[in-house]
Amino acid sequence: MATSVKKTELFLFDGKSAKPLKMGQENILKIKAGEHYRLVGDAASNNRNPVKAVAKAKGKDLLVECEDGTRITLVDYMTECRDGVCDLILPGDDYPLAWAQLQGAADASAAAAAPANLGGQVAALESSTPITAVKAASNDNGMLLGVAGAALGGLALGGGGSSGGSTPQQNPTLVRDTALEKIRAAAESNNAQDDTIGLTVYSDAGVTGVTSANLSAINSALNSPFVNGARADTTAEVQAIVDAYNRILSGADSNAANNNAPISAVDYTTLGVTGLNERSASLLGDVVDGSATTAVDTVTKLQGLATAAQNVIDAAASKKTLELKDLTALGITQVKSDELAAVQQAIDATNDDGTGVDTLDELNQVVAKAIADYRAIQAVAQALDVIRDAAQNNTATATSPDASVYAAAGVTGVTAANLAAINSALESTFVDGARADTTKEVQDIVNAYNEILKEANDTADDATPNADPVALTYTTIGVTLGATATDAENLSLFNDAVGASTQGDVDTIDELDALAAIVN
C-alpha cells in the first residue's frame, strides 16, 4: 500500500550535487545535456524520493508534478536530452511505473498491458503522437524516462530519435499552453528574466507587441507583487499587460506639451502598480508624458512615481504630509526644504478631492505661487530683522538701513531725502527693537517723521500740514517732549518752533529734542 505524503525536503540530484526545491511551489530549472537527474529527499545521502511524482511533456520542457504540490519545469529537456544523452528517474512508493499513457491518443495495446495498480499514477504525456512504453528503472522502483524510440510531438522523450523520416508538427495548443505556463510560473515566482521569458515565449503564447525594446519592461510587470500566476495565465491577461505597458512607453516621449492619450488607473493596476485612484492616475499620466522611456521602463520606477502622485492627492485632503522626494519624483525640483511647509499648506488649501492638483500644470501653478508668497514673506521678515536690529542696538547710520530695506519690509514713504531722518529715529532711546519689528510699527515711524518734516517749512504760522502734529506724532519717532507732551500751550509753541524751522533743522532726533527742551 502506498505511504502517505511526507512533509520533508526535496532535491533534484544531477549526479554531482543536489539542488534544493521549493516545496509546494513552482520550480523552473535549466537542463544540461549529459546529466542524469533524479528526485531525492536528502541532499547528503541522495535517498529515494519521499513523494510520488509523475512527468509530462510541455512543449520543449518536461513538467514534473509531485503529490505534495511541488512542480518542476525542466526547461528544454525535450531538446537537450535527445539521443539518450541524459535521463530522469522518478521513484514511486510501491508501484514501478513501467508504462506511459497519452491523453486522448493513447496506444490501446500499451494501455491495456499496463499493470492495473498504476491507475491515476501513470505518467500523462501530452501529445498527439502515441508512445508505447518507457523503460523501467530497476533501482528505487522508479521510472526512467529514457530511450523508448517513440517520438513525442517531434521530440524524443529523454532520448531516441523520431519514429519516422519526417518531423511531426508540434501541437499549436500545446505550444501555446507551454508558453503560458512559463509566463504563469514566472509571474507566480517573480523570477521572469529576459533569457527565460523571451520574445519566443510571448509569441508562442499568442501575445503580440513584445519587442526587444520593451521585453525587460514587460517582464518587470511579471515580477511585480500584484501580478501573480493567476493574473498571467491566459493569453488575454498577458496581452492586456503588454498593451498597457506599450501605452505607457509610447506616452513617455519627454514632451509634456503634446498631451498623449491618457493612461487609466486600470492600465497601471494591470502592470502591478498599486495605490492609485482616478485623480492620482491623471497626475501620473502627465508625469509619464513628460518623462523619457528610461524613467518608466520598470514597474518599480512606475510605482515610485505612482506613490508620489498619490501622496500629492492625499495631501490635498489633509491625509498626507509631503516630502521633498515626492515633488522631486514628479519633476518639481525648485522647492527648498524651508519652503516645503508652505507648499504643503497651499496644496492642502485646494479641493479635497484632488481636482485642484490632478494635472502637472495645476500642481506646478500651486507650487510656484506658494514659493513666491513664501519668499515674499521671508523677504519682509529679513528686512524687518535688519531694521529691528538697528533699532535695538542703535547701529543705524544716515545711510543704513537704506531705502531698499524699508521697501523690502513693505514700508512706503522712505526716500533719499528723508532716509537719514528716519534712521535717526531708530537711534533714539525710545525706539528699540520691540517698537520696530513689524511693518506697521516701522510705517508709523516713517509717517510720523514725514508729517513733522512737512510741518518744518520755515513758516511758523501757516496751514501746512492741515493740522499740527499731535504729541504722539513726536513720541512715535522717539522725541523727548517732557511737559510739552501733556501741555497744549507748550505743544502749540513747539509746533510753531518746528514750523519756523527748515527740514534740515529738524531732521535728527537730537535736533528735535533740543528744540523741545527750549520750549519747555
Side-chain angles (χ1 to χ4, degrees):
M1 184 173 70
T3 58
S4 60
V5 177
K6 302 173 184 177
K7 297 295 184 181
T8 183
E9 293 182 296
L10 194 60
F11 300 82
L12 182 67
F13 182 66
D14 62 9
K16 299 177 183 178
S17 61
K19 178 179 179 59
L21 301 174
K22 293 181 288 187
M23 302 292 288
Q25 300 182 45
E26 180 74 25
N27 297 266
I28 300 178
L29 305 173
K30 178 69 176 176
I31 285 295
K32 295 181 181 179
E35 293 185 344
H36 303 274
Y37 300 93
R38 72 186 214 172
L39 293 179
V40 297
D42 183 88
S45 62
N46 296 322
N47 69 345
R48 66 197 303 277
N49 179 16
V51 295
K52 298 176 183 178
V54 294
K56 55 184 175 181
K58 295 284 288 185
K60 297 178 182 180
D61 304 336
L62 187 67
L63 176 62
V64 180
E65 295 181 323
C66 299
E67 189 179 16
D68 68 342
T70 304
R71 292 162 58 89
I72 309 147
T73 298
L74 302 180
V75 179
D76 290 337
Y77 182 92
M78 309 305 289
T79 53
E80 291 290 328
C81 293
R82 294 176 67 92
D83 303 322
V85 296
C86 53
D87 49 53
L88 170 68
I89 296 176
L90 297 178
D93 278 341
D94 59 357
Y95 52 93
L97 297 181
W99 300 89
Q101 181 177 345
L102 298 170
Q103 291 181 343
D107 183 287
S109 61
N117 67 337
L118 288 178
Q121 306 301 334
V122 173
L125 301 174
E126 292 185 358
S127 174
S128 60
T129 303
I131 185 170
T132 54
V134 295
K135 294 200 313 180
S138 58
N139 55 343
D140 288 338
N141 290 328
M143 180 183 73
L144 174 62
L145 297 180
V147 186
L152 180 62
L155 299 173
L157 180 61
S162 65
S163 58
S166 61
T167 302
Q169 296 296 316
Q170 295 188 47
N171 187 322
T173 301
L174 177 60
V175 171
R176 181 201 63 202
D177 291 348
T178 300
L180 284 173
E181 173 58 25
K182 285 185 180 180
I183 295 172
R184 182 206 67 78
E188 184 66 25
S189 302
N190 291 333
N191 63 358
Q193 299 292 332
D194 293 356
D195 57 349
T196 56
I197 309 297
L199 300 180
T200 302
V201 175
Y202 285 103
S203 176
D204 287 349
V207 176
T208 61
V210 183
T211 67
S212 57
N214 63 15
L215 176 62
S216 294
I218 292 165
N219 279 342
S220 77
L222 299 185
N223 292 334
S224 67
F226 179 81
V227 179
N228 56 19
R231 291 186 171 94
D233 59 357
T234 69
T235 299
E237 288 174 335
V238 180
Q239 188 66 62
I241 292 172
V242 174
D243 291 346
Y245 221 135
N246 279 339
R247 280 190 286 273
I248 290 172
L249 294 173
S250 295
D253 57 2
S254 301
N255 183 6
N258 60 356
N259 295 322
N260 288 313
I263 304 163
S264 69
V266 174
D267 283 334
Y268 293 111
T269 302
T270 298
L271 299 178
V273 177
T274 58
L276 289 170
N277 60 25
E278 182 184 0
R279 302 272 68 85
S280 54
S282 169
L283 176 57
L284 178 56
D286 283 356
V287 175
V288 169
D289 191 12
S291 300
T293 55
T294 53
V296 295
D297 60 358
T298 70
V299 170
T300 299
K301 293 176 183 178
L302 280 173
Q303 185 63 65
L305 295 176
T307 299
Q310 187 60 51
N311 286 347
V312 169
I313 301 302
D314 288 343
S318 304
K319 296 179 181 178
K320 180 72 178 180
T321 299
L322 283 179
E323 298 181 45
L324 278 178
K325 65 179 182 181
D326 294 322
L327 297 171
T328 300
L330 301 178
I332 299 174
T333 59
Q334 71 271 33
V335 182
K336 298 178 181 178
S337 57
D338 62 323
E339 298 167 345
L340 182 60
V343 172
Q344 167 85 38
Q345 186 176 14
I347 292 174
D348 189 17
T350 64
N351 300 331
D352 285 352
D353 62 3
T355 52
V357 288
D358 63 346
T359 70
L360 197 54
D361 281 346
E362 289 173 339
L363 179 58
N364 273 319
Q365 290 174 15
V366 170
V367 170
K369 186 177 186 307
I371 292 175
D373 291 347
Y374 175 81
R375 291 178 181 176
I377 292 171
Q378 288 301 105
V380 170
Q382 291 169 3
L384 285 173
D385 285 347
V386 173
I387 296 171
R388 179 205 62 200
D389 290 346
Q392 180 65 28
N393 302 318
N394 291 330
T395 54
T397 68
T399 57
S400 178
D402 63 25
S404 66
V405 174
Y406 287 98
V411 176
T412 60
V414 180
T415 66
N418 64 12
L419 176 63
I422 292 167
N423 281 348
S424 77
L426 301 184
E427 286 286 290
S428 69
T429 302
F430 178 77
V431 178
D432 58 11
R435 290 186 172 90
D437 59 357
T438 70
T439 298
K440 181 181 184 306
E441 289 172 336
V442 178
Q443 188 67 64
D444 287 345
I445 292 171
V446 173
N447 292 344
Y449 219 137
N450 280 339
E451 184 178 344
I452 293 169
L453 291 174
K454 286 181 180 179
E455 179 73 13
N457 59 359
D458 200 20
T459 302
D461 186 15
D462 66 1
T464 304
N466 294 332
D468 287 338
V470 298
L472 180 60
T473 303
Y474 292 103
T475 57
T476 295
I477 66 173
V479 176
T480 303
L481 289 178
T484 300
T486 56
D487 189 307
E489 291 184 358
N490 275 12
L491 180 60
S492 176
L493 179 60
F494 183 52
N495 280 329
D496 286 344
V498 171
S501 303
T502 65
Q503 292 184 353
D505 295 331
V506 293
D507 60 356
T508 69
I509 300 301
D510 287 343
E511 290 170 335
L512 287 168
D513 280 348
L515 191 59
I518 293 172
V519 169
N520 284 329

